[in-house]
Amino acid sequence: MKKKALEETNETEPSGYARESRPEKVVARLRPHARVLAWPTLLLFALAGATGYYFGNLPEPWQNAALLAGAIVLAVLGWLLPLAAWLTKRYTITTRRIIFRHGFFVRTRQELLHSRGYDVSVRQNWVQAGFHSGTVLINSGLEHPLILKDVPNVDLVQSTLHDLMEQASTVMGSRRQEQSALAAESAFWGRR
């Protein structure tokens, strides 16, 4: 009877890993601050104005075509590529981990579990401080820290990461205590 109760409270999968009793929830989905698109957007407006002013006023038809082709190339290089680069960077913070995705042609995904513990530091320059953004450096003891560049509401992100890491460490500590208690009880049952 007592052994059956122990088996019911044991929350391990057949592989031996502990099951999480709570489902993983998304806390925040972030991108770098949108102000990085300010200069490309100003370039696009200036390019559209200059192209609209000079197109049709040039003496030769091939010059008008070259102006239009040059404007399209500059719009792609100066506005569309920075926009695509901004859209491909995404930081997702869940109740269990941090997920960092980036890359356009080659996609890269990095994950860091809160239960492993890490050090969170924030770096801000004066422009970022004016917009309440900053760069979050997450050092987990690996070679390269995970860098979340130019995150909006950087103070809120830092405090949330500290809270999630503390919550994960208390959950892991309680699990370790439960597992050691179960191991001690099963060792008692094993002796005869």
Side-chain angles (χ1 to χ4, degrees):
M1 177 78 175
K2 195 171 189 179
K3 192 171 186 178
K4 185 178 180 183
L6 286 175
E7 289 174 0
E8 289 175 0
T9 60
N10 188 2
E11 294 185 1
T12 59
E13 295 179 352
S15 62
Y17 292 105
R19 268 187 276 145
E20 180 67 39
S21 59
R22 294 171 290 146
E24 183 174 21
K25 294 181 182 176
V26 174
V27 176
R29 287 191 173 105
L30 304 167
R31 287 197 167 135
H33 201 280
R35 82 168 173 280
V36 298
L37 298 175
W39 288 112
T41 303
L42 288 175
L43 173 71
L44 182 67
F45 287 147
L47 189 63
T51 304
Y53 181 76
Y54 287 109
F55 186 73
N57 292 334
L58 297 175
E60 298 290 327
W62 67 269
Q63 290 174 336
N64 287 325
L67 174 71
L68 191 58
I72 290 172
V73 167
L74 282 176
V76 167
L77 292 176
W79 182 76
L80 194 58
L81 288 180
L83 176 67
W86 180 77
L87 286 173
T88 59
K89 283 186 183 175
R90 190 157 78 190
Y91 316 121
T92 306
I93 301 171
T94 69
T95 53
R96 290 188 195 157
R97 58 193 165 162
I98 303 168
I99 305 166
F100 175 46
R101 295 182 193 127
H102 63 92
F104 190 70
F105 295 111
V106 178
R107 304 276 300 162
T108 303
R109 177 182 167 128
Q110 293 176 290
E111 292 185 12
L112 180 63
L113 295 172
H114 298 304
S115 60
R116 289 197 170 170
Y118 46 81
D119 179 42
V120 180
S121 58
V122 172
R123 186 172 46 197
Q124 284 182 318
N125 60 27
W126 62 275
V127 175
Q128 289 174 331
F131 285 99
H132 301 289
S133 65
T135 300
V136 178
L137 300 158
I138 302 170
N139 189 0
S140 63
L142 300 174
E143 289 180 22
H144 303 288
L146 183 65
I147 300 172
L148 310 179
K149 291 184 180 178
D150 209 14
V151 176
N153 296 324
V154 71
D155 295 329
L156 181 62
V157 170
Q158 182 183 24
S159 66
T160 301
L161 288 176
H162 282 298
D163 291 343
L164 289 170
M165 186 175 56
E166 183 179 328
Q167 185 180 32
S169 67
T170 57
V171 168
M172 290 303 290
S174 66
R175 282 199 186 138
R176 286 185 186 122
Q177 288 177 349
E178 290 174 6
Q179 288 176 352
S180 65
L182 287 173
E185 288 180 14
S186 64
F188 177 73
W189 280 97
R191 282 187 275 155
R192 286 195 179 193

